[in-house]
Amino acid sequence: MNNQLKQNHMKKVIPLFLTVATFVSFAFVIPNTIESKQINVVIDAGHGGSDFGVTSSSANEKQIVAQITEKIKFFNKNEKVTIHLTRTGDQFLSLSDRSALINKIKPDLVLSLHVNQNLNVAKSGMEFYVAKESITKERSNEIAVELRNKFISNTAIKSSEIKYAPFHILKKSEVPAVLVELGYMSNLDDREYLTNDVQQNKIAATILEFISELK
Ligand SMILES: [Zn+2]
């Protein structure tokens, strides 16, 4: 029975003087019977195992993205959100293993997390990538724009415009997919930010907040 039916039914059987009070109190205790949909998201921590990704003397990409991915999974207390991972530990997973797993899960969204590097050590900030070749290009682009906005309002890190690249995960996923370069290992400020536990918590919380608002 939906809310409206319950309320109509109650109006008939409850004396008028009680109706208002009952209506008001029930407004707080009757859960919304319109089921809000379950949101499934795959977080793809880049690299792993023998593939370290980009490295510096003090940090490496596979570890940073795994730490942030674990925090996303751990901090998620929203029953409407299910976080799936491509790799759950420090193992090597080929790109085709990842896209096969993603297409089996068929999530609402894939976020692939990476760390960048550049010979120009001054280059810094986040970058968001989608693939022109993706069958979900428009939706992926929309999500990338919204996620970028969320990071701009929640964190101090610079964010680039949305970029296009034919990355395997983006091309082969049959669902909306965005690859996020979280910052530059080659830039000192970015590296300190990405390896800082409190900042990693903030990145994870920002991603979770974004996911819970997905429509
Ligand atoms: Zn990478």
Side-chain angles (χ1 to χ4, degrees):
M1 195 188 283
N2 66 28
N3 276 351
Q4 198 54 49
L5 280 174
K6 267 183 198 159
Q7 284 150 11
N8 288 343
H9 178 67
M10 278 164 35
K11 272 181 193 155
K12 283 176 206 145
V13 296
I14 296 168
L16 185 63
F17 69 93
L18 275 178
T19 307
V20 173
T22 312
F23 187 84
V24 170
S25 62
F26 269 76
F28 293 102
V29 294
I30 295 177
N32 188 354
T33 50
I34 300 163
E35 283 295 315
S36 49
K37 109 182 203 295
Q38 192 70 26
I39 301 167
N40 285 284
V41 175
V42 169
I43 305 292
D44 173 51
H47 313 278
S50 57
D51 173 10
F52 282 68
V54 302
T55 57
S56 76
S57 56
S58 58
N60 61 67
E61 179 182 2
K62 71 167 185 177
Q63 204 169 30
I64 292 172
V65 294
Q67 285 163 344
I68 294 171
T69 297
E70 280 158 25
K71 286 171 188 286
I72 294 170
K73 176 103 178 151
F74 180 76
F75 290 152
N76 176 38
K77 303 288 180 241
N78 186 339
E79 287 174 4
K80 295 284 169 212
V81 173
T82 307
I83 303 291
H84 308 261
L85 308 181
T86 47
R87 70 171 168 102
T88 50
D90 183 20
Q91 76 268 38
F92 178 80
L93 258 187
S94 72
L95 292 174
S96 48
D97 286 344
R98 292 171 198 253
S99 54
L101 181 63
I102 288 163
N103 291 330
K104 209 173 120 192
I105 296 171
K106 295 186 175 50
D108 298 284
L109 170 65
V110 180
L111 290 180
S112 184
L113 303 183
H114 288 261
V115 174
N116 229 332
Q117 74 174 346
N118 199 285
L119 286 174
N120 173 8
V121 296
K123 201 163 170 49
S124 68
M126 297 183 80
E127 290 170 11
F128 299 84
Y129 288 88
V130 294
K132 282 183 177 156
E133 298 82 354
S134 160
I135 56 167
T136 63
K137 186 184 94 179
E138 272 84 34
R139 181 66 182 136
S140 298
N141 198 71
E142 245 174 54
I143 288 171
V145 170
E146 289 165 13
L147 181 60
R148 175 179 177 271
N149 290 340
K150 180 62 83 182
F151 268 101
I152 290 173
S153 59
N154 279 23
T155 65
I157 197 162
K158 274 195 312 190
S159 289
S160 76
E161 294 305 314
I162 312 306
K163 296 184 173 189
Y164 292 100
F167 294 134
H168 177 97
I169 289 286
L170 302 180
K171 277 194 312 188
K172 298 294 181 188
S173 293
E174 292 157 4
V175 295
V178 177
L179 186 142
V180 185
E181 293 280 2
L182 293 159
Y184 280 82
M185 187 74 91
S186 41
N187 178 269
L188 181 62
D189 289 341
D190 276 14
R191 186 164 68 244
E192 280 179 1
Y193 163 83
L194 291 170
T195 53
N196 179 290
D197 193 51
V198 174
Q199 299 301 332
Q200 287 186 352
N201 290 348
K202 211 179 269 185
I203 293 169
T206 299
I207 289 174
L208 273 178
E209 191 182 315
F210 173 76
I211 290 170
S212 64
E213 291 165 2
L214 269 181
K215 284 173 200 92

